[in-house]
């Protein structure tokens, strides 16, 4: 097989419609499907040969565009800052429930396909996105999106009418983003034909609603044709010892996978030791490997895939598929993998519609049980536009302030989840504390609560002294006094660097002039006390 790699940069929003959203909205995929890349190449082929439609009986047409064993148009995924093609995040990657990935703090990730440790508390999947390795770091990428609102118009009158006026929404891939596509060809002759078509013009139109300001992209780079033996989709050689010297087989889907069961029906049954029936994925792999494998565990999700046939002017039938990023682990029975077997599976792929980029897999790819996931360094060439008017600045400031409040609220809820008041303190004392804090929160006057604590009767003061809070079992009264005396220290925030926001050129943080003038530290400290007191009154055993 021969390989052509090229990059496309969106000049307008791009609408690669998926099946998400409600009936009055179109939500784009997070990537450019291989079927769209193929469609763009077909249009250039027809224009070059002066055709109004393709002759499907011709061998070269079938070989170039419809035979998965001859030509495959892989999905165009986001291109990294270093020019690499990113790949979907595996669904076996898990993070802590309250962990958050930011520019300042990386995200600790555990790969449960290799080892399901007990160190993560309430683990949850990392979620969808793309990743790649750059300079020893594992970087996480997500596409930027744009939401536009449209209304349907009467074609003759050119405006909406009572009968033609529905409002609908497009959520598209935003402009000024670079994606990298790959085309695999059986022969160098076919590869050269396709490369010549790509070089005809840098302008290429992809996706839907092209007459409404969507779909204009530019081809920014086309590589020379290389042999598949010198190229690897996951950038790890197939003869690497870590990929062959394993007692198990790990299969990671790099794109959606379409399979049929023994009765010819589309099936998304994940491999499992509980299934007595023949599972399509297990059957396909055993056929290629000529050996028995037993499923151990899997981390998977399903999706619905379809498409649009411009020849028919109709959508393609929708079928279920295993979603990209799914991970399956099998036990090898009495045989070992060879580099040739790995390469055969990864180059050819498995399942249906491989010519459109479906069925791409990686074998024994993932090899780190625990690691840090980071956001890529922002390009120094990117600068935010200045705010031209006072109204723009005010709006940006309001947005930044609301986002900051949202972050503080999340930090507050996280802290409350791990803290509780222990010891014998009656509910009447807690209710009184909550009431005084509630009165003080509107003005941010912490002295009101301090006055309450300093003027308690001996019996009440004793209860606050004996009650404990936190892992160190600190006196409740002492802890409250520390919070109220020094609210600007934000004692209860684990990572203060995360509590800052930037919108356009407007920054907001917990220690800036905005926070001080609005007494954010005092108000949120009082809210914390209110929430702790309310939580304690509802707990029967303290």
């Amino acid at each position: 097989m021969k390989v052509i790699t090229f990059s496309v940069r969106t000049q307008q929003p791009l609408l690669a419609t998926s099946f998400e959203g409600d009936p009055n909205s179109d939500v784009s995929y997070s990537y450019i499907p291989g079927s769209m890349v193929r469609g763009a190449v077909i249009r250039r082929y027809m224009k070059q040969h002066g055709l109004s439609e393709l002759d499907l009986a011709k061998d070269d047409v079938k070989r170039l565009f419809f035979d998965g064993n001859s030509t495959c148009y892989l999905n165009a995924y986001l291109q990294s800052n270093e020019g690499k093609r990113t790949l979907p995040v595996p669904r076996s990657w898990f993070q802590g429930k309250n962990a958050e990935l930011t520019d300042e703090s990386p995200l600790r990730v555990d790969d449960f396909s290799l080892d399901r440790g007990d160190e993560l508390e309430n683990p949850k999947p990392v979620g969808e996105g793309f990743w790649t390795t750059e300079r020893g770091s594992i970087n996480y990428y997500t596409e930027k999106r744009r939401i536009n609102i449209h209304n349907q118009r009467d074609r003759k009158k050119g405006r909406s009418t009572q009968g033609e006026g529905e409002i609908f929404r497009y959520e598209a891939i935003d402009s000024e983003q670079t994606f990298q596509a790959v085309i695999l060809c059986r022969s160098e002759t076919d590869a050269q034909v396709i490369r010549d078509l790509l070089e005809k013009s840098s302008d290429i139109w992809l996706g839907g609603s092209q007459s409404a300001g969507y779909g204009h992209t530019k081809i920014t780079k086309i590589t020379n044709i290389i042999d598949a033996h010198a190229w690897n989709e996951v950038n790890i050689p197939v003869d690497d010892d870590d990929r062959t010297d394993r007692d198990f087989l790990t299969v990671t889907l790099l794109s959606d996978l379409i399979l049929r069961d023994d009765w010819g029906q589309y099936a998304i049954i994940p491999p499992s030791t509980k299934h007595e029936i023949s599972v399509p994925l297990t059957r396909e792999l055993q056929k290629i490997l000529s050996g028995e494998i037993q499923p151990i565990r899997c981390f998977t999700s399903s999706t619905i895939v379809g498409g649009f046939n411009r020849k028919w002017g109709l959508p393609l039938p929708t079928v279920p598929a295993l979603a990209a990023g799914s991970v399956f682990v099998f036990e090898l029975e009495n045989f070992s993998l060879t580099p040739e077997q790995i390469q055969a599976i990864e180059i050819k792929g498995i399942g249906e519609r491989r010519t459109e980029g479906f069925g791409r897999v990686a074998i024994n790819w993932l090899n780190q049980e625990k690691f840090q996931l980071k956001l890529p360094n922002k390009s120094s060439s990117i600068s935010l536009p200045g705010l031209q008017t006072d109204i723009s600045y005010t709006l940006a400031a309001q947005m930044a302030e609301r986002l900051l409040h949202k972050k503080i609220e999340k930090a507050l809820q996280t802290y409350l989840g791990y803290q509780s008041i222990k010891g014998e303190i009656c509910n009447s004392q807690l209710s009184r504390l909550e009431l005084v804090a509630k009165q003080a929160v509107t003005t941010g006057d912490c002295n009101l609560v301090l006055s309450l604590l300093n003027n308690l009767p001996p019996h009440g003061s004793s209860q606050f002294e004996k009650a404990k809070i936190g892992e160190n079992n600190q006196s409740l009264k002492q802890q409250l006094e520390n919070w109220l005396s020094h609210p600007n220290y934000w004692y209860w925030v684990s990572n203060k660097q995360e509590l800052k926001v930037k919108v356009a050129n407007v920054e907001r943080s917990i220690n800036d002039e905005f926070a001080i003038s609005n007494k954010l530290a005092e108000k949120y400290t009082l809210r914390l006390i209110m929430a702790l007191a309310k939580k304690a009154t509802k707990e029967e055993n303290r």
Side-chain angles (χ1 to χ4, degrees):
M1 300 289 281
K2 305 298 177 181
V3 182
I4 307 169
T5 302
F6 65 98
S7 302
V8 294
R9 186 165 181 83
T10 55
Q11 306 299 304
Q12 295 177 336
L14 191 150
L15 193 62
T17 306
S18 66
F19 289 91
E20 295 182 35
D22 57 62
N24 289 328
S25 67
D26 282 344
V27 180
S28 177
Y29 286 111
S30 56
Y31 56 89
I32 303 173
S35 58
M36 285 190 176
V37 178
R38 182 185 66 168
V41 176
I42 288 176
R43 288 194 294 274
R44 291 195 172 184
Y45 178 88
M46 293 173 63
K47 183 177 180 180
Q48 184 184 54
H49 292 83
L51 303 174
S52 59
E53 60 181 41
L54 288 176
D55 183 359
L56 302 183
K58 291 183 65 175
D59 289 339
D60 59 338
V61 170
K62 290 188 289 186
R63 193 177 62 251
L64 286 171
F65 306 121
F66 301 105
D67 184 2
N69 294 319
S70 298
T71 310
C72 294
Y73 297 81
L74 309 193
N75 296 335
Y77 293 136
L78 277 172
Q79 181 172 286
S80 72
N81 292 343
E82 295 186 358
K84 294 182 179 179
R85 179 173 177 257
T86 60
L87 294 169
V89 168
R91 296 178 187 270
S92 60
W93 285 5
F94 283 77
Q95 67 181 63
K97 179 180 179 181
N98 296 308
E100 185 177 358
L101 177 62
T102 65
D103 291 326
E104 292 78 19
S105 60
L107 182 69
R108 183 264 178 85
V109 175
D110 286 23
D111 189 345
F112 283 4
S113 70
L114 299 173
D115 177 44
R116 185 156 191 163
D118 299 326
E119 298 178 24
L120 286 180
E121 185 173 355
N122 299 321
K124 67 175 184 180
V126 171
E128 296 185 355
F130 302 92
W131 75 284
T132 190
T133 302
E134 297 174 299
R135 301 182 184 180
S137 297
I138 298 177
N139 290 340
Y140 177 80
Y141 286 83
T142 54
E143 80 289 354
K144 295 182 293 183
R145 290 177 175 262
R146 179 184 296 185
I147 298 176
N148 289 328
I149 306 298
H150 300 273
N151 65 292
Q152 190 174 6
R153 295 179 298 174
D154 185 279
R155 290 185 178 273
K156 293 182 178 179
K157 296 182 178 180
R159 57 179 173 80
S160 58
T161 62
Q162 187 172 359
E164 299 283 345
E166 292 86 353
I167 292 177
F168 56 96
R169 186 186 75 162
Y170 283 164
E171 183 176 327
I173 296 171
D174 203 359
S175 58
E176 302 303 322
Q177 297 182 89
T178 304
F179 294 79
Q180 190 173 120
V182 178
I183 302 175
L184 304 178
C185 302
R186 179 190 291 177
S187 69
E188 187 159 357
T189 303
D190 290 345
Q192 190 60 54
V193 169
I194 292 175
R195 194 177 190 280
D196 290 342
L197 291 172
L198 293 173
E199 288 182 327
K200 286 289 183 183
S201 171
S202 61
D203 293 300
I204 188 169
W205 295 83
L206 300 168
S209 296
Q210 294 177 7
S211 62
Y214 293 84
H216 182 204
T217 63
K218 280 185 176 292
I219 299 176
T220 57
K221 181 181 179 181
I222 307 175
T223 64
N224 293 324
I225 300 170
I226 61 173
D227 193 85
H229 294 286
W231 172 84
N232 189 276
E233 195 165 359
V234 295
N235 298 314
I236 301 178
V238 295
D239 56 356
D240 190 289
D241 291 340
D242 189 57
R243 301 186 73 185
T244 54
D245 297 343
R246 295 192 191 185
D247 296 328
F248 54 88
L249 167 70
T250 303
V251 179
T252 307
L253 301 189
L254 306 182
S255 64
D256 297 337
L257 172 61
I258 303 173
L259 292 170
R260 293 180 187 259
D261 59 21
D262 293 335
W263 297 273
Q265 300 297 315
Y266 291 105
I268 51 173
I269 307 171
S272 171
T273 54
K274 298 179 181 179
H275 292 136
E276 297 181 359
I277 62 174
S278 174
V279 177
L281 179 58
T282 307
R283 184 189 65 228
E284 288 289 327
L285 292 171
Q286 289 180 155
K287 186 188 302 181
I288 298 171
L289 298 173
S290 301
E292 292 292 324
I293 57 175
Q294 290 296 329
I296 301 175
R297 54 186 174 270
C298 66
F299 307 87
T300 184
S301 180
S302 61
T303 186
I304 299 294
V305 298
F308 189 84
N309 189 308
R310 290 184 177 272
K311 166 74 172 176
W312 301 341
L314 294 170
L316 297 175
T318 57
V319 298
L322 294 170
S326 297
V327 180
F328 309 90
V329 184
F330 300 87
E331 182 182 1
L332 300 176
E333 295 191 353
N334 302 321
F335 76 97
S336 299
L337 284 175
T338 64
E340 292 74 21
Q341 289 175 321
I342 295 176
Q343 188 171 48
I345 296 175
E346 291 186 345
I347 290 293
K348 184 178 179 180
I350 57 178
E352 297 190 358
R353 293 174 64 178
R354 289 180 290 111
T355 189
E356 300 171 43
F358 290 93
R360 306 302 302 171
V361 298
I363 304 298
N364 289 353
W365 173 33
L366 308 172
N367 56 13
Q368 295 190 53
E369 296 178 1
K370 300 175 178 62
F371 56 90
Q372 297 290 323
L373 187 64
K374 300 179 180 180
L375 290 175
N377 294 326
K378 294 180 179 179
S379 173
S380 58
S381 62
I382 297 176
S383 59
L384 294 173
L387 299 172
Q388 302 296 325
T389 65
D390 291 340
I391 295 177
S392 299
Y393 182 88
T394 302
L395 181 60
Q398 291 175 349
M399 293 171 66
E401 290 158 12
R402 289 175 184 175
L403 289 171
L404 179 62
H405 279 292
K406 188 176 180 180
K407 281 196 170 188
I408 301 174
E409 286 282 355
K410 187 174 182 179
L412 178 64
Q413 294 299 324
T414 300
Y415 183 81
L416 285 171
Y418 294 103
Q419 298 297 329
S420 60
I421 297 174
K422 295 166 282 189
E424 295 184 2
I425 180 170
C426 62
N427 285 350
S428 60
Q429 297 289 352
L430 294 170
S431 297
R432 188 179 180 189
L433 174 65
E434 181 185 356
L435 179 62
V436 174
K438 188 175 182 179
Q439 292 173 347
V441 76
T442 53
T443 59
D445 187 3
C446 293
N447 290 325
L448 282 176
V449 183
L450 281 171
S451 178
L452 168 69
L453 296 175
N454 293 330
N455 294 285
L456 287 169
H459 179 66
S461 180
S462 175
Q463 289 188 40
F464 276 94
E465 289 282 0
K466 292 179 179 179
K468 307 296 180 183
I469 185 173
E471 296 179 355
N472 299 326
N473 290 324
Q474 189 175 7
S475 164
L476 176 60
K477 184 177 181 182
Q478 183 180 352
Q479 180 67 85
L480 293 175
E481 288 176 344
N482 286 342
W483 286 343
L484 294 165
S485 300
H486 308 286
N488 288 318
Y489 288 178
W490 297 86
Y491 285 118
W492 48 276
V493 177
S494 59
N495 191 345
K496 300 179 182 64
Q497 294 297 322
E498 292 184 358
L499 298 184
K500 61 181 180 180
V501 174
K502 185 174 183 179
V503 176
N505 296 325
V506 180
E507 292 190 21
R508 290 289 182 263
S509 70
I510 56 175
N511 293 315
D512 64 6
E513 184 179 347
F514 161 76
I516 295 171
S517 62
N518 287 274
K519 292 189 174 183
L520 289 191
E522 292 84 350
K523 291 179 180 179
Y524 275 99
T525 298
L526 292 166
R527 289 191 59 185
L528 171 64
I529 294 171
M530 289 167 54
L532 277 171
K534 188 172 184 178
K535 179 181 178 182
T537 57
K538 293 182 178 181
E539 293 176 346
E540 296 182 0
N541 299 317
R542 288 196 294 269

